[in-house]
Amino acid sequence: MPEQAVKLGPRLAAVAAHVPDGAFLGDIGTDHALLPIYLVLRGVIPSAIGTDIRGGPLDAGRRNIARRGLSGRIALRQGDGLAPFRGGEADAVTVAGMGGGLMLEILDPRREALAGARTLILQPQGGESGLRRALLARNWRLAAEELTEEKGRIYTVMRWERGAATDQPGTPSAAAADGGCADAAVRRFPEVWAEYGPLLPAAGGPLFRRVLQAERGRMRRAAAALGSATGAAARERLGELRRRAEIWEEMESWLYPSD
Ligand SMILES: C[S@@+](CC[C@H](N)C(=O)[O-])C[C@H]1O[C@@H](n2cnc3c(N)ncnc32)[C@H](O)[C@@H]1O
């Protein structure tokens, strides 16, 4: 009798929640293959292809798949990023647990396999602001972004759809729908929007507050380390850090006014 249930932690569960019903999924860096197994078992998707650059994780993934009787529905292929896919095989692509820079290399727009993808669900570990900027410039639209916490660490999960930059929610041009509220805030705190993208600052929430506070902590520590420096470059850097810390603090008071 095949073993069935798979329980995902909050990080991968948040990724899974963004996968469209019925998608032809490609899971890059699938490792243990728990994400495609979970989605197929729940009936969200009919089948999936997982890839990993290393053979060891794929062996473990194959055992996990076989234990659940899913070998006919989830295929695993070894290779770099999207290389093991043929064009059009995946209309939704998940990439979780890798740095944003590596994700950008994997999602190189010249790759034929990316042409059929309509949705990307990404859970980067670092390099988030560069990843957002680059994908917006490549005409992907950030349809949703949320923060989730696992074992005390905060992760971001992004869902990207094909689209034009002018459709992008959370930017001044798209803000008319919310009475211009986000519009005013984007103009008032452009640095914060540049750092966290078009959606997270507008959504707020307790995890985003912790992200803002953690960043202020980093700025304070960097400023303290420069405190006694006398060179012109260090003083300029110190001024910039203090200016940014004030902006972050003001943004926090603006978003969480009652505390
Ligand atoms: C930290 S694990 C994340 C596993 C799973 N996606 C998750 O989020 O729990 C990263 C996996 O990505 C794989 N990987 C790293 N670079 C890759 C690449 N260029 N192409 C495919 N897989 C890669 C690693 O071998 C590893 O199994």
Side-chain angles (χ1 to χ4, degrees), residues 1-258:
M1 167 108 159
E3 182 186 324
Q4 285 295 319
V6 168
K7 188 159 167 42
L8 299 181
R11 177 184 65 84
L12 274 182
V15 173
H18 285 284
V19 174
D21 280 356
F24 293 100
L25 181 71
D27 183 36
I28 313 298
T30 195
D31 197 352
H32 33 63
L34 291 183
L35 180 64
I37 292 173
Y38 173 90
L39 289 163
V40 171
L41 280 179
R42 295 205 143 208
V44 177
I45 56 172
S47 61
I49 300 169
T51 74
D52 206 288
I53 201 160
R54 295 183 301 138
L58 289 185
D59 292 339
R62 274 192 197 97
R63 285 194 294 276
N64 285 334
I65 291 167
R67 270 207 293 274
R68 283 145 183 115
L70 296 176
S71 302
R73 297 173 70 184
I74 303 173
L76 296 187
R77 298 177 188 165
Q78 187 171 357
D80 185 356
L82 287 163
F85 286 86
R86 288 175 285 279
E89 272 188 317
D91 58 15
V93 171
T94 44
V95 197
M98 291 181 209
L102 178 54
M103 288 187 180
L104 281 174
E105 284 172 30
I106 287 174
L107 300 170
D108 184 332
R110 289 167 300 185
R111 284 229 173 259
E112 195 206 334
L114 196 61
R118 313 307 309 159
T119 307
L120 307 176
I121 299 119
L122 308 180
Q123 183 274 298
Q125 324 247 93
E128 290 83 358
S129 53
L131 178 65
R132 284 191 210 92
R133 272 196 298 277
L135 289 179
L136 288 168
R138 291 179 192 178
N139 275 336
W140 286 94
R141 192 172 62 86
L142 185 56
E145 181 165 6
E146 64 173 299
L147 297 172
T148 183
E149 184 177 11
E150 184 168 306
K151 295 185 180 149
R153 186 166 169 187
I154 298 175
Y155 298 93
T156 186
V157 174
M158 310 168 176
R159 189 178 79 243
W160 294 85
E161 312 276 358
R162 293 234 178 239
T166 47
D167 302 337
Q168 177 57 58
T171 55
S173 58
D178 72 359
C181 183
D183 191 2
V186 174
R187 289 185 205 288
R188 189 158 160 201
F189 305 107
E191 291 91 344
V192 177
W193 254 261
E195 183 67 30
Y196 301 110
L199 301 183
L200 287 181
L207 291 182
F208 186 63
R209 185 175 201 179
R210 280 173 49 195
V211 168
L212 288 178
Q213 288 171 337
E215 183 58 22
R216 270 208 292 139
R218 274 190 290 276
M219 289 175 197
R220 252 200 320 273
R221 284 191 296 280
L226 283 172
S228 54
T230 50
R235 293 180 67 77
E236 195 178 317
R237 172 84 185 123
L238 187 58
E240 174 62 13
L241 278 169
R242 287 187 175 139
R243 192 184 71 81
R244 280 175 77 83
E246 270 173 32
I247 294 169
W248 258 242
E249 192 173 349
E250 208 192 317
M251 173 75 185
E252 197 188 326
S253 319
W254 182 83
L255 263 182
Y256 308 96
S258 58

